[in-house]
């Protein structure tokens, strides 16, 4: 038996030669014993994912520190804070945030925590307010994050505490094509460096369109956040969705698909088509008002690492984020976008097209949640030991190269190989 190999403190598994050849005759095929079930498959390390990544509490908290506190997060579209003093509250990496538009028109983000004794300042999910007053002792902040009022402030005379040094903590904020991104790490690279060109598959579309959000929903599901995000990157699971089996898989050659992976773990998929009238009861979308530069049957998407996805289908756009809640629960937020100022008829068409696939009762996103919860059922308590991501179609068809790109970046940021992330 060869000795175990140790790499950067992580022990690589020893692979035994138990694997049954794929050329084995049908009459010798069999179910697997405990030994063959538990042993590491004879695949390259980057071609299978350890089940520990979905259920280990230390890994879960490391992800918050090494990934979610370091990356750029999409938080909202500028149309959601369209007017001066509009605000929205949200959370990223367990940090509560206020996103607001100041009287200078600039969108800023602050940690939604009072500088006095740490209370949450803004309670509402959104609204319009020139200032925000903390409920506890009534310190008040403006839309630049300055503390503008401190009741009976003379009680702090001589202590060094004053309005001038008690503002809110500002968070790095950048807006690209109307999409608002924030980063909790002041030392992070600029947004464009993080994106690494992954949104360029929309560069003939999004800069030419003035968009607005017409749909928002959120859902907590019982699954590790990665199990849901994998459903976005995994094209092989098209078989699961009746709607994709009917409209997408036969609509174009698998060889027309272009899956690209990027240095920061992002993935783009272009070259997808859809024949919508192939789904019973639907009509084609020919002649419908599309986004600039898109045909009605065009579909493309950009899952950004770690868990935010931009998708267009000729007539409509969806942006999703997934946030970890626990190792076994995550929050999905989903937005639908249309063209600002369009006719009521076009807006209704776009809402229909959005909801048919992606709405809370659509035939796509809800089924992905079902898939993620199905994996949680087995990975959550350790019954499933690993997942295989070994499909190689050269970035075409239903290749697993996107999944491997996602997991490679996960390993880089976590300092743990995803095939054996713990030494258990
Ligand atoms: S905690 Fe906010 S004013 Fe005291
Ligand atoms: Fe799916």
């Amino acid at each position: 038996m060869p000795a175990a190999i140790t790499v950067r403190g992580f022990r690589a598994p020893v692979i035994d030669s138990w694997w049954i050849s794929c050329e084995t005759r049908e009459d010798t095929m069999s179910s697997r014993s405990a030994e063959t079930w538990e042993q590491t498959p004879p695949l390259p390390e980057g071609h299978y994912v350890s089940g520990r990544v979905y259920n280990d509490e230390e890994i879960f908290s490391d992800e918050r520190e090494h990934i979610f506190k370091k990356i750029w997060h999409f938080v909202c579209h500028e149309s959601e804070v369209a007017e001066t003093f509009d605000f929205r509250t949200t959370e990223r990496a367990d940090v509560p945030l206020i996103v607001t538009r100041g009287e200078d028109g600039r969108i800023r983000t602050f940690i939604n925590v009072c500088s006095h004794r740490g209370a949450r300042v803004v309670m509402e999910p959104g609204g319009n307010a020139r200032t925000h007053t903390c409920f506890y002792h009534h310190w008040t902040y403006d839309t630049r994050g300055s503390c503008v009022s401190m009741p009976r402030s003379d009680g702090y005379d001589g202590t060094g505490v004053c309005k001038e040094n008690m503002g809110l903590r500002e968070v790095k904020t950048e807006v690209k094509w109307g999409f608002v991104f924030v980063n909790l790490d002041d030392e992070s690279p600029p947004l464009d460096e993080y994106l690494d060109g992954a949104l360029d598959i929309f560069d003939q579309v999004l800069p030419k369109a003035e968009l607005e959000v017409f749909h928002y929903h959120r859902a907590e599901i019982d699954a590790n956040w990665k199990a849901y995000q994998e459903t976005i990157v995994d094209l092989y699971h098209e078989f699961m969705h009746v709607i994709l089996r009917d409209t997408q898989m036969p609509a174009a050659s698998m060889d027309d698909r272009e899956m690209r992976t990027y240095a920061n773990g992002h993935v783009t998929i272009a070259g997808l088509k859809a024949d919508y009238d192939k789904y019973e009861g639907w009509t084609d979308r020919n002649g419908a008002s599309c986004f600039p530069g898109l045909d009605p049957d065009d579909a493309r998407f950009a899952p950004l690492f770690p868990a935010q996805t931009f998708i267009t289908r000729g007539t409509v756009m969806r942006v999703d984020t997934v946030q970890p809640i626990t190792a076994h629960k995550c929050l999905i937020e989903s937005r639908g976008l249309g063209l600002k100022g369009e006719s009521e008829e076009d807006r209704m068409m776009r809402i229909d097209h959005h909801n048919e696939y992606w709405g809370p009762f659509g035939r796509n996103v809800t089924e992905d949640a079902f898939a993620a919860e199905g994996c949680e059922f087995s990975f959550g308590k350790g019954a499933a030991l690993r997942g295989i991501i070994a499909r190689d179609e050269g970035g075409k068809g239903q290749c697993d190269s996107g999944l491997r790109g996602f997991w490679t970046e996960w390993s880089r940021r976590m300092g743990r190989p995803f095939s054996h992330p713990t030494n258990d």
Side-chain angles (χ1 to χ4, degrees):
M1 162 113 23
I5 304 162
T6 300
V7 181
R8 293 169 61 197
F10 290 92
R11 189 182 64 246
V14 174
I15 297 170
D16 291 329
S17 56
W18 56 268
W19 198 258
I20 296 170
S21 162
C22 293
E23 277 76 50
T24 302
R25 293 192 326 273
E26 199 170 317
D27 59 0
T28 64
M29 291 168 64
S30 69
S31 56
R32 293 160 66 182
S33 66
E35 184 184 14
T36 59
W37 176 255
E38 288 169 12
Q39 280 185 323
T40 304
L43 294 166
E45 263 192 54
H47 287 62
Y48 60 94
V49 181
S50 165
R52 299 293 286 159
V53 302
Y54 304 104
N55 58 28
D56 185 279
E57 296 296 338
E58 186 179 313
I59 287 177
F60 178 77
S61 65
D62 279 359
E63 288 174 337
R64 183 175 53 230
E65 299 306 313
H66 300 314
I67 297 176
F68 286 91
K69 285 191 175 174
K70 300 291 182 187
I71 58 100
W72 283 94
H73 297 266
F74 166 75
V75 285
C76 66
H77 185 259
E78 63 180 1
S79 62
E80 296 172 87
V81 284
E83 305 297 329
T84 302
F85 306 133
D86 278 357
F87 68 88
R88 286 187 65 86
T89 54
T90 186
E91 285 186 19
R92 292 294 183 271
D94 291 338
V95 178
L97 300 171
I98 314 163
V99 183
T100 186
R101 187 185 289 272
E103 55 195 334
D104 57 354
R106 191 170 144 199
I107 296 171
R108 296 179 177 85
T109 307
F110 307 100
I111 294 181
N112 188 8
V113 167
C114 184
S115 293
H116 178 215
R117 290 185 55 201
R120 178 179 175 181
V121 178
V122 182
M123 302 292 179
E124 301 88 350
N128 182 282
R130 180 183 293 267
T131 57
H132 297 282
T133 299
C134 178
F135 70 94
Y136 205 176
H137 311 88
H138 290 196
W139 286 22
T140 297
Y141 304 92
D142 68 12
T143 54
R144 289 173 184 258
S146 304
C147 180
V148 294
S149 172
M150 191 183 272
R152 302 194 65 241
S153 59
D154 51 0
Y156 292 113
D157 286 352
T159 67
V161 173
C162 59
K163 287 186 298 189
E164 287 69 23
N165 61 20
M166 285 290 127
L168 296 173
R169 149 77 154 101
E170 188 162 356
V171 174
K172 285 177 75 170
T173 304
E174 288 195 41
V175 181
K176 184 179 180 71
W177 301 337
F179 298 93
V180 182
F181 289 83
V182 305
N183 196 314
L184 294 162
D185 179 7
D186 284 352
E187 306 304 316
S188 59
L191 174 63
D192 273 334
E193 191 175 320
Y194 163 74
L195 292 174
D196 194 26
L199 290 186
D200 288 356
I201 60 164
F202 304 114
D203 67 359
Q204 298 303 309
V205 183
L206 301 181
K208 297 179 178 173
E210 195 174 357
L211 304 178
E212 66 181 356
V213 171
F214 63 69
H215 172 93
Y216 170 86
H217 78 264
R218 51 192 278 150
E220 273 186 32
I221 66 167
D222 291 324
N224 184 280
W225 66 273
K226 300 184 293 298
Y228 183 79
Q229 187 63 14
E230 284 178 305
T231 71
I232 310 286
V233 187
D234 168 7
L235 282 179
Y236 191 36
H237 88 284
E238 281 174 300
F239 287 103
M240 180 185 79
H241 299 291
V242 173
I243 204 173
L244 297 183
R245 290 204 306 269
D246 287 356
T247 66
Q248 184 166 286
M249 291 178 66
S253 164
M254 289 278 174
D255 286 339
D256 291 341
R257 298 176 172 195
E258 293 284 349
M259 179 179 275
R260 269 193 66 189
T261 56
Y262 295 76
N264 290 337
H266 313 314
V267 179
T268 57
I269 300 151
L272 296 166
K273 296 285 180 196
D275 289 333
Y276 294 99
D277 57 347
K278 295 293 189 295
Y279 186 71
E280 192 177 346
W282 286 8
T283 56
D284 67 39
R285 297 182 179 180
N286 296 336
S289 159
C290 292
F291 278 48
L294 293 183
D295 296 326
D297 61 350
D298 182 284
R300 57 185 76 180
F301 53 111
L304 303 183
F305 184 88
Q308 38 204 350
T309 303
F310 292 69
I311 304 182
T312 55
R313 287 186 174 276
T315 53
V316 72
M317 176 169 202
R318 160 184 152 213
V319 181
D320 278 5
T321 60
V322 188
Q323 293 179 66
I325 298 174
T326 70
H328 308 286
K329 195 179 277 290
C330 64
L331 171 69
I332 302 165
E333 290 180 282
S334 192
R335 288 167 165 82
L337 294 101
L339 300 176
K340 194 171 180 182
E342 64 191 352
S343 68
E344 194 174 334
E345 185 184 2
D346 281 348
R347 178 56 56 91
M348 289 310 298
M349 170 274 295
R350 237 174 279 289
I351 291 171
D352 282 348
H353 288 181
H354 174 274
N355 286 343
E356 285 167 350
Y357 265 76
W358 301 327
F361 303 101
R363 302 300 308 273
N364 191 195
V365 175
T366 45
E367 293 171 352
D368 289 329
F370 181 80
E373 290 191 339
C375 290
E376 170 65 25
F377 180 81
S378 43
F379 282 114
K381 291 179 181 168
L385 303 181
R386 64 185 66 84
I388 290 175
I389 52 170
R391 293 184 64 77
D392 186 358
E393 298 186 58
K396 308 282 185 189
Q398 297 174 325
C399 190
D400 281 344
S401 54
L403 285 167
R404 290 192 289 273
F406 170 91
W407 281 109
T408 299
E409 178 65 1
W410 185 92
S411 287
R412 187 184 74 79
R413 288 186 177 265
M414 293 286 285
R416 297 172 183 264
F418 61 81
S419 296
H420 51 101
T422 64
N423 276 329
D424 298 352

